[in-house]
Amino acid sequence: FDKTSQYHQKNKDSSVPASKQDLEVQYASSSSRSLSTDQGNSSPADTFPWLGYLLNYFGHACGFDIFQQALRDPEKLSLQLLEALIQPLCKVTEFVDEAILQQFQEPCEVVLKYISDLLENKVEVLNGDSSRSRDASYGSLSQVLRHLLVAYAGIVGIVKAELTVSSVQRLMIQRMRSYDAFNMQ
């Protein structure tokens, strides 16, 4: 789902196979939504036909539904798996239909609540058996929050996403600073 992959860059101008799915509900567009620049102008939308095709196929195969279901129950996932689930979402927010993207607001909020509870009440889950496992847990947690910020910004807007996610990031940093060995490099 990465638009910067060599495959999508190489096949920007190629056509995708026609199918009956073209007539049904569209989950994504092959064009990215225009992004505003610092000068207030809009940059032209990039077109990635195969990425749009793959996202639509993923949607028709109930991939987005399964994705949401997994994010609604983060307690069953390791932090590394949670990171692997959220990363593709943040890469495709500019292509996925806004109605589909809105369906991810509640699962993203569930994940943020879970992480906040984890940092406040279940710190032993993050600590692990050694400093190495603790460092890996906080590294994964940092990546989850970074990807979640991008994905959530695509859903609710950058200002609300920044306010919501940054409060959890601050809590994570407070927990990390409570360890003597934090950042001993």
Side-chain angles (χ1 to χ4, degrees):
F1 290 154
D2 188 359
K3 72 177 183 181
T4 62
S5 73
Q6 183 178 6
Y7 181 83
H8 291 304
Q9 293 297 321
K10 188 187 269 187
N11 293 295
K12 269 182 145 177
D13 299 323
S14 65
S15 59
V16 295
S19 70
K20 68 175 188 159
Q21 291 176 353
D22 294 337
L23 304 174
E24 297 175 13
V25 176
Q26 294 295 307
Y27 290 86
S29 169
S30 60
S31 298
S32 63
R33 290 192 269 303
S34 296
L35 303 173
S36 60
T37 61
D38 292 339
Q39 292 81 24
N41 305 346
S42 290
S43 61
D46 290 326
T47 303
F48 298 92
W50 278 97
L51 180 57
Y53 178 80
L54 291 172
L55 287 168
N56 281 314
Y57 186 84
F58 184 73
H60 286 284
C62 300
F64 290 114
D65 297 331
I66 294 168
F67 207 99
Q68 290 173 37
Q69 185 179 8
L71 290 176
R72 282 189 178 100
D73 203 3
E75 298 87 12
K76 293 182 179 178
L77 306 172
S78 69
L79 291 173
Q80 292 80 9
L81 188 54
L82 198 55
E83 175 188 350
L85 275 172
I86 295 173
Q87 183 181 18
L89 180 62
C90 83
K91 290 182 183 261
V92 299
T93 54
E94 63 187 293
F95 296 98
V96 175
D97 183 72
E98 289 187 32
I100 301 298
L101 209 53
Q102 287 300 315
Q103 296 174 6
F104 281 93
Q105 181 174 351
E106 187 257 335
C108 286
E109 290 169 353
V110 168
V111 171
L112 279 169
K113 174 89 171 93
Y114 167 72
I115 292 172
S116 181
D117 289 346
L118 193 66
L119 288 165
E120 289 177 355
N121 304 320
K122 301 176 186 169
V123 180
E124 66 278 352
V125 173
L126 292 172
N127 291 345
D129 299 336
S130 67
S131 63
R132 180 173 286 177
S133 64
R134 180 183 63 223
D135 292 346
S137 293
Y138 280 105
S140 291
L141 187 59
S142 176
Q143 291 299 314
V144 167
L145 291 172
R146 190 184 96 197
H147 296 317
L148 203 53
L149 175 64
V150 174
Y152 200 55
I155 299 166
V156 299
I158 189 66
V159 175
K160 183 176 180 183
E162 184 69 40
L163 289 171
T164 307
V165 176
S166 66
S167 64
V168 179
Q169 287 173 326
R170 279 192 300 276
L171 184 59
M172 181 188 74
I173 291 170
Q174 288 172 349
R175 286 287 178 236
M176 291 172 70
R177 292 188 66 198
S178 68
Y179 299 110
D180 294 336
F182 173 66
N183 207 12
M184 286 184 51
Q185 298 174 339

